[in-house]
Amino acid sequence: MKRIGIWGAYKSGYISDDILYEALANEIKLNMPDAEIIALADGIPDDGVDFIIIGGGTMLGEPLHAFTYNKPFGVFGAGYRDNLNLDILKKAKFIYVRGGYSKRKLSEHGIDSEVIGDPVCLLSGAHIPSNIKLGMIPRNVPSLQSWLSQYKPDVGIILNKRDDSQIDGLNIPFYITPSSAESALLMIRSCSQLVSARCHPYFIAIMANIPAMVAQFEFHKVWDVMSGFGVTVILRDSVYESVFPAPRFPIQEQMVDAQGHISETCNNMKKVLKEICQKLV
């Protein structure tokens, strides 16, 4: 039985990271049903894995310095970050990055790569009607407190696991801490509108045709992925400055266009990942 490790910013209590892991793990399991899939992160031993996939997220930079595993590995859907560890990356068996920006930055360092998209594209799904008119996913509790000064009574807060213990004492009418990546997906798709401090819930909302906005500090990640989908206008307003009104949502045509490109990306990702898994069997 093969043991496949997926390395990223996992086990940190962030909704986005857990969702990415599930997306990759489920797809690998479809192609390698007898394999054992293991989540790897800083400080987690390799547990005897045969191969490691550096998964989605902005892992190709400073985080890569913590990649100390002496195992064969490849990159699938990760993004560029400053302070690249070239010595490690040059050992990769394959490098598929999430967008054109990451490919260009790696090329500047003499590293060849192919654009595959972000693994979040494997998680397309429809909107689920509910009474959550505006869902909010904060980066942390301090940022949540600044949002609460402008929130509406029908706002639902989706918390990261790491923030659950800090919520006592805040006047929040409705909040949920997802118990799993699957429950987080259901909650995001149940929002009529979404404000997110992280890019991956934003992508999930867009794929479900839900008007959404992402924090400005995540914009470079959004642009890296979405520029390949034909979306030329991305809202850059900071969600920490104002809760956005409906007229500032991406227009419907842009969202539909993005959905079509994401669907193509998803199909190609599945095809390439299947080919990778066949070589690993």
Side-chain angles (χ1 to χ4, degrees):
M1 179 179 67
K2 290 287 186 178
R3 298 165 65 86
I4 307 298
I6 303 178
W7 186 78
Y10 308 129
K11 308 296 186 182
S12 60
Y14 280 122
I15 294 171
S16 297
D17 299 319
D18 292 342
I19 286 174
L20 278 186
Y21 170 75
E22 292 295 329
L24 280 172
N26 290 342
E27 196 63 30
I28 293 172
K29 199 67 175 176
L30 284 175
N31 292 289
M32 302 178 69
D34 296 329
E36 181 179 358
I37 314 300
I38 300 168
L40 299 177
D42 294 358
I44 299 178
D46 65 39
D47 204 20
V49 298
D50 299 296
F51 193 87
I52 297 175
I53 292 177
I54 297 178
T58 314
M59 304 306 298
L60 304 183
E62 182 66 37
L64 203 58
H65 290 263
F67 189 85
T68 57
Y69 306 105
N70 187 24
K71 300 286 183 178
F73 71 94
V75 176
F76 193 86
Y80 172 84
R81 188 168 175 173
D82 290 336
N83 196 10
L84 190 65
N85 191 321
L86 293 175
D87 291 337
I88 292 178
L89 200 54
K90 287 178 179 179
K91 299 176 183 178
K93 301 298 182 183
F94 53 81
I95 303 177
Y96 293 97
V97 294
R98 69 184 177 196
Y101 170 78
S102 292
K103 176 180 175 63
R104 176 168 59 83
K105 296 301 291 185
L106 291 186
S107 179
E108 291 175 1
H109 291 281
I111 301 291
D112 292 330
S113 64
E114 295 184 47
V115 175
I116 192 67
D118 193 288
V120 75
C121 296
L122 297 168
L123 297 171
S124 59
H127 170 58
I128 303 169
S130 76
N131 60 353
I132 306 177
K133 294 185 179 180
L134 176 61
M136 304 179 79
I137 302 179
R139 187 181 192 187
N140 49 40
V141 168
S143 66
L144 173 59
Q145 290 175 309
S146 69
W147 283 1
L148 288 177
S149 64
Q150 305 173 62
Y151 81 98
K152 302 174 183 178
D154 50 12
V155 165
I157 308 296
I158 302 175
L159 286 177
N160 294 301
K161 292 178 183 178
R162 63 192 296 161
D163 297 326
D164 192 34
S165 62
Q166 305 178 47
I167 205 68
D168 293 341
L170 295 181
N171 182 25
I172 302 176
F174 171 73
Y175 73 90
I176 296 177
T177 303
S179 59
S180 65
E182 183 178 2
S183 62
L185 283 171
L186 290 174
M187 293 175 196
I188 293 169
R189 292 171 182 153
S190 297
C191 300
S192 297
Q193 303 168 357
L194 182 74
V195 176
S196 177
R198 295 287 176 178
C199 64
H200 292 104
Y202 170 83
F203 293 138
I204 291 166
I206 292 295
M207 289 188 287
N209 204 25
I210 296 170
M213 187 170 175
V214 68
Q216 188 172 4
F217 60 77
E218 292 282 274
F219 179 77
H220 64 289
K221 302 177 186 178
V222 173
W223 181 249
D224 190 16
V225 178
M226 296 295 279
S227 61
F229 299 150
V231 179
T232 56
V233 177
I234 299 293
L235 298 177
R236 299 189 65 166
D237 306 78
S238 170
V239 292
Y240 297 108
E241 296 174 359
S242 64
V243 175
F244 62 109
R248 290 163 65 189
F249 291 150
I251 61 174
Q252 189 74 14
E253 290 76 9
Q254 289 177 320
M255 294 172 69
V256 171
D257 190 24
Q259 286 175 318
H261 286 284
I262 288 173
S263 177
E264 293 177 10
T265 297
C266 176
N267 292 334
N268 185 50
M269 290 186 82
K270 290 182 176 182
K271 176 184 176 182
V272 173
L273 200 52
K274 181 177 181 179
E275 293 172 352
I276 292 172
C277 289
Q278 288 174 340
K279 294 177 181 179
L280 295 178
V281 173

